[in-house]
Amino acid sequence: MAPATNGRVIFNEVPEEPGKTLVYDESEKIDADTVSLDGGFLVKTLGLSVDPYMRGRMRNPEVKSYSSAYTLGQPITGFGVGVVVRSESSEVKVGDHVYGLLKYQQYDVYKSTEGLRILDNKYNLPWSYFVGVAGMPGQTAYMAWKEYSSAKAGEVAFVSGGAGPVGSFVIQLAKAQGLKVIASAGSEEKVEFMKSLGADVAFNYKTTNTLETLQANGPIDVFWDNVGGETLEAALTAANIHARFIECGMISGYNSPNPPPIRNLMQVVAKNISIFGFIVSRLFHKYLEAFYEEVPKLVSEGKLKYKEQVYDGLEQVGQAVLEVQQGKNYGKAVIRVAKE
């Protein structure tokens, strides 16, 4: 075939002005039939994930964090699914689907399967599901809930960001174990979605007082925190003695250089609260294989509900990232790069 455009999403500058941080670039060309593999394999990207943590990678490299900073002038990376279209590797064959950290571009050559998983899609799920409920967001909910919640039937759980891909999974995990679930999100549409998942109390934090709602329906035994800030403060005040707080994210402060402090941390002492922060990859050794055995099956059987919002084309990555940071997306944000 003749050389074709290999579209890419470039990290153009540390965020200052919307629309300039990530740019879609069509300057690179590729001939998928002749590009050198050097013993590796060529992957055609099918779907890519847009996740809140990506905001933290858009920084100066001198600022240290748990994840590496994006490199200026280079394609960004994130979780994605692709199909192998050529291979000189003994590890993969043409037609295999791989999941892992991919470059946000249409094609790329990989030297090995390090950091990638060959997917066994025995339940014939849409491939996009493997960057959502059957990928990192699903792993986050499944693994950290098992590891840290110590949940018992009859307890009360509070899930902030409950309409997102992680929070919506947590709601269902908690309900399956017999907990009463309180859940918050930022729109009436999201409130209805959380109710459909089984949340006993679902509310819009923009129009309803969070603390009053928690005090009326608590006290809280398990808090799954995707938000931080004022919501975390309210949860601390409304917590039960020996509550467990699972700190997954704090998106309320991701775009603020000086997020407000949490003013009532003494509640941790007064109520013997256990706080667990985590990075999901550090739990893989305990739960990854069980996750792939259980979760795709539950989804295929309709026992685990999931919603995604699909953006068509790499050109939409910048907009999708912005909407995720603003909480405007509805369901898991997925970039559809190509069909099979």
Side-chain angles (χ1 to χ4, degrees):
M1 66 187 295
T5 298
N6 190 18
R8 308 177 299 161
V9 178
I10 302 297
F11 182 47
N12 189 55
E13 66 175 34
V14 175
E16 292 180 5
E17 282 188 61
K20 292 187 177 181
T21 299
L22 302 176
V23 296
Y24 178 63
D25 173 72
E26 293 185 319
S27 64
E28 184 171 286
K29 306 295 181 183
I30 188 170
D31 188 330
D33 291 332
T34 62
V35 64
S36 176
L37 303 183
D38 194 23
F41 51 96
L42 179 65
V43 172
K44 176 184 178 181
T45 306
L46 300 179
L48 295 165
S49 181
V50 173
D51 299 295
Y53 83 92
M54 295 169 69
R55 175 62 180 83
R57 300 187 66 188
M58 299 174 192
R59 65 180 194 274
N60 290 313
E62 303 83 46
V63 180
K64 303 303 179 185
S65 183
Y66 68 91
S67 60
S68 60
Y70 289 135
T71 302
L72 287 170
Q74 295 298 313
I76 64 170
T77 60
F79 292 97
V81 171
V83 60
V84 177
V85 294
R86 285 179 55 213
S87 178
E88 295 176 354
S89 169
S90 60
E91 297 180 284
V92 298
K93 63 183 184 299
V94 171
D96 282 345
H97 288 75
V98 295
Y99 167 77
L101 287 173
L102 306 183
K103 290 181 182 178
Y104 281 46
Q105 60 187 52
Q106 290 170 297
Y107 290 90
D108 199 19
V109 175
Y110 295 84
K111 299 302 182 184
S112 75
T113 57
E114 183 179 358
L116 299 175
R117 182 183 183 93
I118 300 173
L119 294 172
D120 177 12
N121 191 6
K122 56 188 173 184
Y123 300 107
N124 198 34
L125 300 178
W127 289 111
S128 61
Y129 280 30
F130 286 93
V131 301
V133 67
M136 186 275 290
Q139 292 161 4
T140 298
Y142 175 94
M143 296 180 190
W145 183 262
K146 282 183 173 291
E147 182 74 4
Y148 303 119
S149 72
S150 300
K152 295 177 283 293
E155 290 189 320
V156 177
F158 172 41
V159 183
S160 64
V166 176
S168 61
F169 196 158
V170 173
I171 289 171
Q172 294 173 83
L173 287 169
K175 289 304 299 178
Q177 287 188 250
L179 280 74
K180 175 183 176 179
V181 176
I182 308 167
S184 64
S187 74
E188 296 308 315
E189 184 181 24
K190 291 179 180 181
V191 167
E192 292 305 311
F193 177 53
M194 294 186 297
K195 289 179 180 177
S196 77
L197 301 175
D200 299 279
V201 178
F203 68 96
N204 181 347
Y205 70 88
K206 295 179 180 178
T207 58
T208 303
N209 185 284
T210 298
L211 179 57
E212 290 177 1
T213 302
L214 297 181
Q215 289 178 322
N217 294 281
I220 301 163
D221 298 292
V222 185
F223 176 38
W224 184 285
D225 188 12
N226 290 311
V227 175
E230 294 179 357
T231 303
L232 174 55
E233 274 197 5
L236 285 165
T237 297
N240 205 352
I241 295 173
H242 299 299
R244 288 82 67 197
F245 278 41
I246 305 171
E247 297 301 318
C248 179
M250 297 190 178
I251 197 168
S252 65
Y254 289 176
N255 294 290
S256 172
N258 295 297
I262 305 301
R263 299 166 295 181
N264 60 343
L265 280 174
M266 185 60 192
Q267 297 283 3
V268 176
V269 178
K271 297 178 177 179
N272 292 84
I273 296 171
S274 298
I275 299 180
F276 302 97
F278 72 97
I279 302 300
V280 66
S281 59
R282 298 171 188 160
L283 298 173
F284 282 178
H285 68 286
K286 291 184 68 172
Y287 299 110
L288 190 61
E289 296 312 315
F291 172 84
Y292 279 110
E293 280 297 317
E294 295 178 29
V295 172
K297 184 173 187 291
L298 290 172
V299 176
S300 71
E301 294 171 345
K303 296 178 180 178
L304 181 58
K305 297 179 181 179
Y306 173 64
K307 186 181 292 290
E308 63 181 9
Q309 180 176 348
V310 177
Y311 298 78
D312 275 309
L314 286 167
E315 305 94 324
Q316 301 300 316
V317 169
Q319 183 64 30
V321 168
L322 183 62
E323 290 186 4
V324 166
Q325 294 299 318
Q326 295 174 338
K328 292 181 177 179
N329 65 301
Y330 184 44
K332 176 73 190 81
V334 177
I335 304 297
R336 181 162 49 207
V337 182
K339 297 181 180 179
E340 288 275 354

